[in-house]
Amino acid sequence: MAKTFQEQAEINIGMIGHVDHGKTSLTQALSGKWTDTHSEELKRGISIRLGYADATFYRCDKCKGSEAYTSHEKCPNCGGKAKKLRKVSFVDAPGHETLMTTMLSGAALMQGAVLVIAANEDCPQPRTVEHLMALSISGVKNIVVAQNKADLVDRDAAIKNQAKIRKFLEEYGYKDAPIIPTSAPFGTNIDMLIEAIEEHIPSPKIDPKKELRMYVARSFDVNRPGAKIKEMKGGVLGGSIMQGSLKVGEEIEFGPGFGGKKMATKCVSLGTAEGELDKAGPGGLIAIGTELDPLLTRNDQLRGHVVGKKGTLPEATTDVRLDVKPFRRVVEKETEIKVNETVVLTIGTMTTIGTVVKSAGGKLKIASKIPVIVERGQTVAVSKKINAQWRLAAYGVAV
Ligand code: GDP
Ligand code: ZN
């Protein structure tokens, strides 16, 4: 099959917010595609789906205002040819979003976000709060709010709801985020939403000198059952490159590996949902084809691992030490972290259990149950069980 070389997206934009507020519908309206988390067919074609879609944004030079923004080459306003702005990747809030720890590992892949809030419900809803907290912890500063389902409320209710959203955003440190009223099924204000994304969520600057680091979000076996040995393809690692770049043919390693032992392999292909790449960098979701035994990558078994060029990853450790950062909001007493307590650590896309060894003076020392790759300066989220649920209790920077 002929390879179609694809251009990579420049940024991963999370679609976050409470269940049923319209994330999937808006992603579709923004990109003209449905997000589909479970497409076996796509997995086989060495592509990867976290529940996301790529979109290319354009602006028409001849038209003025928001109407000039579109996700089509042809200007919907004047019918002329619009100018390409950039390609972005929309990343869904992963899992069934009831788990804060899952959301935290998903937020590690986002560099900006559209926070979807339904206009016909009180604000904030529990997931709305958790998603925004996860974002702020992973350092995502640029967000745009879609006040969706605007078609379901009258003007007065929309204004009152918007005031509540504004207050909520201020409390969590996002006071400058624009709020765009939208209606996904009617396509209302999708142009304004694209304009706001273009203006408020710039693509991250890429430092080409940094070492390759990719967070693995999925891993899988792309072979059909019963495939002949000599036709078998190696295991595939799916995720997002956070820094550095990778070329087909290069030697790589991933960790923590098994029992804390890093494993080496080779990058034999680089795929996106739309085609193949010869070289990949940050932005969008990438599938690395490897020479690994596909048994190792089956069923997302390597989720949470970190990929680097061979010989560049730090050793895995069970000793995690953090300088705790204060939350934007006052932390409730119940989130206090005590010695000997069991906690869940989220480091990049890795989620693991640990025991608190020391907790004093804004410092935490945690013994992770399994060795993990944690690099100095990396943000680590700590969740603890509160009322039978893992809830975010603290976060800090690895020292
Ligand atoms: P998600 O759980 O946040 O991904 O929400 P979905 O996109 O699946 O939407 C949940 C439901 O709300 C679906 O039945 C949608 O058709 C509907 N919906 C989404 N956006 C709007 C909107 O702007 N207006 C109205 N009336 N319904 C909407
Ligand atoms: Zn135009």
Side-chain angles (χ1 to χ4, degrees):
M1 202 175 78
K3 285 182 182 176
T4 49
F5 287 100
Q6 289 294 322
E7 168 211 23
Q8 252 187 289
E10 290 177 23
I11 181 172
N12 292 343
I13 299 177
M15 291 299 284
I16 63 166
H18 199 69
V19 63
D20 274 350
H21 281 201
K23 297 179 293 295
T24 313
S25 311
L26 270 178
T27 306
Q28 203 238 344
L30 281 165
S31 66
K33 294 166 204 158
W34 282 109
T35 56
D36 177 2
T37 0
H38 305 289
S39 175
E40 284 303 314
E41 207 179 307
L42 279 157
K43 278 192 215 167
R44 292 216 174 92
I46 307 204
S47 58
I48 143 157
R49 296 247 134 169
L50 267 181
Y52 83 110
D54 281 357
T56 305
F57 293 147
Y58 301 84
R59 187 179 58 201
C60 176
D61 280 340
K62 287 182 217 87
C63 293
K64 282 209 175 71
S66 309
E67 280 160 13
Y69 289 85
T70 164
S71 54
H72 299 283
E73 236 179 325
K74 190 173 153 190
C75 172
N77 201 40
C78 73
K81 193 172 175 349
K83 206 171 83 197
K84 187 183 152 200
L85 297 169
R86 62 174 171 170
K87 184 168 175 176
V88 304
S89 213
F90 287 108
V91 189
D92 236 3
H96 260 287
E97 56 197 278
T98 46
L99 290 175
M100 184 58 185
T101 49
T102 315
M103 180 57 207
L104 282 163
S105 66
L109 304 180
M110 301 171 184
Q111 289 104 30
V114 176
L115 173 59
V116 183
I117 303 181
N120 62 339
E121 279 183 37
D122 196 22
C123 173
Q125 294 288 322
R127 292 287 98 73
T128 309
V129 177
E130 291 195 340
H131 283 190
L132 196 57
M133 273 174 93
L135 273 195
S136 96
I137 283 173
S138 69
V140 176
K141 295 195 172 66
N142 303 317
I143 69 162
V144 168
V145 176
Q147 185 195 20
N148 195 39
K149 305 201 181 188
D151 56 292
L152 297 180
V153 294
D154 62 24
R155 206 183 132 76
D156 266 7
I159 290 170
K160 282 199 187 108
N161 175 259
Q162 195 166 116
K164 279 193 176 169
I165 297 176
R166 185 52 69 204
K167 183 165 168 277
F168 162 66
L169 292 173
E170 272 166 22
E171 262 182 84
Y172 284 85
Y174 287 90
K175 71 174 171 50
D176 296 325
I179 303 171
I180 314 291
T182 57
S183 171
F186 295 102
T188 314
N189 290 349
I190 301 304
D191 49 2
M192 278 179 80
L193 192 57
I194 296 174
E195 180 184 29
I197 291 169
E198 285 304 301
E199 285 185 356
H200 292 265
I201 310 180
S203 298
K205 288 230 155 52
I206 292 170
D207 182 350
K209 288 197 277 300
K210 286 196 165 166
E211 290 280 7
L212 169 74
R213 291 290 182 269
M214 179 175 105
Y215 289 157
V216 177
R218 313 230 11 220
S219 73
F220 40 85
D221 173 1
V222 292
N223 300 291
R224 288 172 195 280
K228 293 197 184 77
I229 300 272
K230 66 177 198 304
E231 287 165 8
M232 292 263 273
K233 289 204 162 93
V236 178
L237 303 172
S240 214
I241 294 178
M242 309 314 293
Q243 59 175 58
S245 63
L246 177 62
K247 283 194 206 100
V248 173
E250 283 181 312
E251 303 286 332
I252 55 172
E253 64 183 1
F254 65 89
F258 299 94
K261 269 213 158 62
K262 288 180 281 190
M263 251 184 113
T265 184
K266 189 174 161 181
C267 167
V268 297
S269 68
L270 284 166
T272 69
E274 297 177 338
E276 298 209 21
L277 302 164
D278 49 2
K279 186 183 177 193
L285 296 160
I286 304 292
I288 304 180
T290 70
E291 291 177 339
L292 291 169
D293 183 336
L295 273 178
L296 293 175
T297 58
R298 223 167 245 185
N299 299 329
D300 294 333
Q301 284 179 100
L302 295 182
R303 177 188 174 89
H305 289 248
V306 183
V307 178
K309 298 251 173 92
K310 199 170 173 183
T312 68
L313 284 181
E315 290 304 319
T317 176
T318 55
D319 182 6
V320 179
R321 292 168 195 233
L322 306 175
D323 271 343
V324 177
K325 297 271 178 193
F327 274 131
R328 186 83 194 185
R329 297 242 350 239
V330 184
V331 181
E332 306 125 57
K333 183 94 179 118
E334 59 182 1
T335 62
E336 198 183 306
I337 295 170
K338 301 183 200 85
V339 171
N340 286 330
E341 214 163 27
T342 301
V343 290
V344 168
L345 300 175
T346 310
I347 312 166
T349 48
M350 177 61 88
T351 305
T352 173
I353 288 214
T355 307
V356 180
V357 179
K358 267 187 212 159
S359 174
K363 292 194 189 303
L364 272 178
K365 181 170 147 74
I366 295 160
S368 174
K369 199 166 174 185
I370 59 159
V372 287
I373 301 267
V374 54
E375 300 194 69
R376 184 174 294 187
Q378 203 175 358
T379 300
V380 177
V382 184
S383 305
K384 64 175 258 182
K385 220 165 206 168
I386 300 169
N387 303 327
Q389 265 200 341
W390 291 106
R391 297 255 313 270
L392 181 66
Y395 84 104
V397 172
V399 292

